[in-house]
């Protein structure tokens, strides 16, 4: 057993309590899976049988997106790490057992380069200083790496030399972006950004489709398990070849594009984040998929408009954020009455609430409940549920 496995299984990560990210690391991995299985069974027991959770073979270093905050102490020493849970105090971290190793190494290297470039770190109290956060995204299948430097001010002295210096150490970095976030906010990324090197995005491959990922677009953080999750979602959709599929909360279009690849006749995607929609449109082109359209907007509003136009939709695949869906969306869903609904959820509590609403107000009944462990060592649980109309 590797060192990292021993550490995490003993719950002995040095910052276990302070970081708060891996809430379940005091349990062995099989115990974690059992814990998640029981939780889903308890929350969804009135709806049907829960299939055994699909766990990871090697549940370490799975995160393809890593971010760090920065601070400088009174002696001028610079630290990088994560916020202590519920606070804005930074817990110093150089490596983490669930994060990509290369991403962690890049963050440490950025920190070490700062003094020689006379670059300061941002102070949230005084709202002065330069570097606020570093975000690294990596395409596991393509090995492309994006480095995003989030700065409090737009002026970046010697930026070209800084990019050269970091790329000399990590030639794997294929693009560098400066994102400017001057606001008093908890959000990591600001609105403005400029590409300092490369294309400004990375690409990755999932289920045979190639995806463009921009700094602000949502992309699943565990690509190994994402293939398992999407595989189940496609299986539950039961596509025969001519269906119209609506991919709601579609992000960069992953689920819809994979459905198109698996024979859907026509796919319509809707997503709130403009950058993600632009990625989705590019992704459809790059994969030569002509039968797919993406729209920017609120999924609930969009569904209502589609329902009012009496469009025929055969399958709705929905993947809302943790807050779940809205009654507006679910009302429109019932009006559209697709024969199959595939609900991908990252929060079983809001999933249970939404399933309850559907059961009370329509003939939709749960056919399958499949939990997938997308976030080993953390308390987060992903599920995919198949519903059909009775
Ligand atoms: N299906 C995608 C993304 C899922 S994450 C994938 O698997 O990669 C949820 C997505 O919902 C995010 O991209 C977020 O920007 C989007 N979103 C959040 N609220 C929304 C709303 N009200 N309407 C449409 N999209 C929304």
């Amino acid at each position: 057993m590797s060192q990292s496995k021993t550490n995490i299984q003993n719950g002995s990560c040095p910052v276990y309590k302070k970081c708060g990210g891996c809430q379940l690391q005091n349990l062995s991995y099989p115990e974690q899976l059992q814990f998640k299985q029981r939780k889903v069974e308890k929350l969804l027991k009135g709806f049907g049988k829960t299939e055994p959770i699909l766990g990871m073979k090697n549940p370490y270093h799975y995160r393809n997106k890593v971010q760090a905050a920065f601070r400088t102490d009174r002696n001028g020493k610079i630290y990088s790490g994560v916020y202590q849970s519920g606070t804005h105090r930074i817990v110093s971290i150089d490596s983490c057992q669930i994060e990509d190793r290369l991403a962690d190494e890049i963050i440490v290297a950025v920190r070490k380069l700062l003094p020689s470039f006379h670059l300061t770190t941002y102070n949230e109290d005084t709202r002065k200083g330069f570097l606020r956060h570093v975000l690294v995204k990596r395409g596991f299948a393509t090995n492309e790496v994006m480095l995003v430097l989030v700065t409090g001010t737009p002026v970046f002295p010697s930026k070209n030399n800084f990019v050269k210096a970091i790329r000399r150490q990590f030639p794997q970095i294929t693009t560098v972006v400066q994102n400017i976030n001057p606001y008093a906010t908890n959000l990591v990324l600001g609105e403005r950004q400029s590409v300092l090197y490369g294309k400004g995005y990375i690409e990755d491959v999932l289920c045979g489709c190639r995806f463009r990922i921009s700094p602000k677009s949502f992309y699943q953080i565990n690509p190994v398990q994402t293939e398992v999750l999407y595989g189940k979602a496609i299986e539950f959709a039961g596509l025969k070849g001519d269906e119209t599929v609506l991919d709601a909360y579609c992000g960069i279009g992953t689920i819809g594009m994979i459905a198109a690849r698996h024979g859907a006749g026509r796919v319509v995607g809707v997503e709130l984040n403009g950058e993600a929609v632009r990625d989705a449109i590019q992704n459809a082109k790059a994969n030569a998929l002509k039968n797919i359209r993406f729209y920017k907007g609120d999924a609930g509003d969009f569904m209502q408009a589609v329902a009012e136009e009496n469009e025929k939709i055969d399958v709705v695949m929905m993947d809302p954020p943790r807050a779940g869906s809205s009654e507006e969306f679910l009302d429109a869903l019932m009006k559209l009455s697709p024969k199959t609904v595939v609900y991908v959820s990252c929060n079983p509590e809001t999933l249970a609430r939404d399933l309850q609403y559907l059961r009370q107000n329509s003939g939709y009944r749960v056919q399958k409940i499949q939990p997938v462990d997308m976030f080993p060592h953390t308390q987060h649980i992903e599920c995919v549920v198949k519903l059909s109309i009775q």
Side-chain angles (χ1 to χ4, degrees):
M1 195 179 282
S2 75
Q3 182 64 33
S4 65
K5 281 188 188 177
T6 320
N7 279 349
I8 208 160
Q9 283 180 355
N10 292 340
S12 61
C13 165
V15 294
Y16 168 35
K17 290 248 164 66
K18 278 188 180 166
C19 161
C22 295
Q23 303 88 355
L24 302 186
Q25 68 168 278
N26 56 327
L27 302 178
S28 70
Y29 190 54
E31 285 167 346
Q32 292 179 20
L33 292 175
Q34 200 178 43
F35 172 87
K36 292 185 182 185
Q37 180 77 19
R38 293 225 175 99
K39 186 157 177 198
V40 177
E41 279 171 359
K42 199 167 156 211
L43 279 165
L44 303 183
K45 70 173 179 295
F47 296 101
K49 177 176 162 281
T50 301
E51 299 297 322
I53 187 167
L54 300 170
M56 262 189 116
K57 268 205 195 100
N58 177 14
Y60 301 94
H61 301 290
Y62 59 81
R63 278 195 73 104
N64 59 4
K65 172 184 150 189
V66 176
Q67 59 200 31
F70 288 74
R71 79 174 171 94
T72 306
D73 73 7
R74 285 200 190 125
N75 303 318
K77 185 165 181 219
I78 302 176
Y79 298 86
S80 60
V82 297
Y83 289 121
Q84 183 163 0
S85 50
T87 74
H88 266 223
R89 221 169 300 139
I90 290 170
V91 182
S92 179
I93 289 179
D94 280 1
S95 66
C96 160
Q97 298 173 85
I98 64 169
E99 293 174 351
D100 177 49
R101 284 193 181 89
L102 179 67
D104 282 343
E105 286 170 21
I106 292 172
I107 289 168
V108 171
V110 167
R111 188 183 74 216
K112 289 186 176 161
L113 276 178
L114 294 175
S116 55
F117 281 84
H118 306 290
L119 293 171
T120 56
T121 61
Y122 183 82
N123 181 319
E124 283 196 330
D125 299 324
T126 61
R127 299 186 58 188
K128 289 209 169 82
F130 181 68
L131 189 67
R132 277 185 94 149
H133 299 277
V134 167
L135 165 67
V136 178
K137 292 188 180 189
R138 179 171 177 205
F140 279 13
T142 57
N143 238 339
E144 295 185 1
V145 177
M146 175 198 294
L147 169 63
V148 184
L149 302 159
V150 185
T151 65
T153 49
V155 181
F156 188 165
S158 341
K159 59 184 171 202
N160 293 339
N161 285 336
F162 189 89
V163 168
K164 264 190 209 145
I166 193 73
R167 284 205 66 253
R168 203 173 302 132
Q169 289 183 55
F170 297 96
Q172 303 96 320
I173 298 174
T174 50
T175 190
V176 182
V177 175
Q178 179 187 3
N179 175 286
I180 300 145
N181 188 357
Y183 311 110
T185 169
N186 284 337
L187 295 177
V188 171
L189 297 175
E191 279 153 31
R192 283 166 60 200
Q193 52 195 26
S194 60
V195 178
L196 305 183
Y197 174 81
K199 302 178 288 192
Y201 58 86
I202 53 163
E203 292 184 297
D204 200 14
V205 177
L206 276 180
C207 303
C209 290
R210 207 172 172 88
F211 296 105
R212 168 191 287 213
I213 305 148
S214 292
K216 289 186 214 165
S217 308
F218 175 89
Y219 185 60
Q220 299 284 356
I221 56 95
N222 182 340
V224 172
Q225 290 298 87
T226 300
E227 289 206 323
V228 175
L229 178 77
Y230 288 170
K232 276 287 159 193
I234 295 293
E235 178 192 320
F236 288 179
L239 301 172
K240 301 251 161 19
D242 53 354
E243 292 90 346
T244 298
V245 174
L246 197 150
D247 178 6
Y249 311 89
C250 69
I252 59 170
T254 42
I255 295 176
M257 286 180 41
I258 295 165
R261 260 287 186 87
H262 281 79
R266 192 167 77 93
V267 177
V268 181
V270 59
E271 160 64 44
L272 202 54
N273 177 326
E275 198 165 282
V277 174
R278 280 198 296 278
D279 284 348
I281 292 167
Q282 279 303 323
N283 286 334
K285 269 194 204 150
N287 289 278
L289 295 168
K290 294 212 167 61
N291 55 347
I292 188 159
R293 292 278 173 281
F294 292 102
Y295 297 89
K296 176 180 180 306
D298 169 72
D301 291 348
F302 184 81
M303 283 288 278
Q304 297 242 320
V306 176
E308 264 156 39
E309 279 165 23
N310 261 332
E311 266 205 61
K312 186 174 174 293
I313 304 283
D314 302 296
V315 179
V316 168
M317 304 184 79
M318 53 188 285
D319 184 7
R322 291 183 55 73
S325 192
S326 62
E327 290 193 357
E328 190 196 14
F329 181 99
L330 297 171
D331 289 340
L333 177 74
M334 294 184 263
K335 207 164 154 196
L336 271 175
S337 67
K339 69 174 192 303
T340 306
V341 177
V342 179
Y343 190 145
V344 179
S345 158
C346 55
N347 181 352
E349 266 110 12
T350 54
L351 172 65
R353 180 201 67 200
D354 291 347
L355 293 179
Q356 177 69 7
Y357 187 78
L358 285 173
R359 183 165 63 184
Q360 269 170 357
N361 296 290
S362 73
Y364 279 106
R365 294 294 173 264
V366 170
Q367 308 297 328
K368 287 257 182 206
I369 303 170
Q370 177 65 68
V372 177
D373 194 21
M374 297 281 281
F375 315 103
H377 312 293
T378 79
Q379 67 196 358
H380 299 293
I381 306 178
E382 189 89 13
C383 284
V384 51
V385 171
K386 174 179 180 172
L387 295 120
S388 51
I389 201 130
Q390 297 290 298

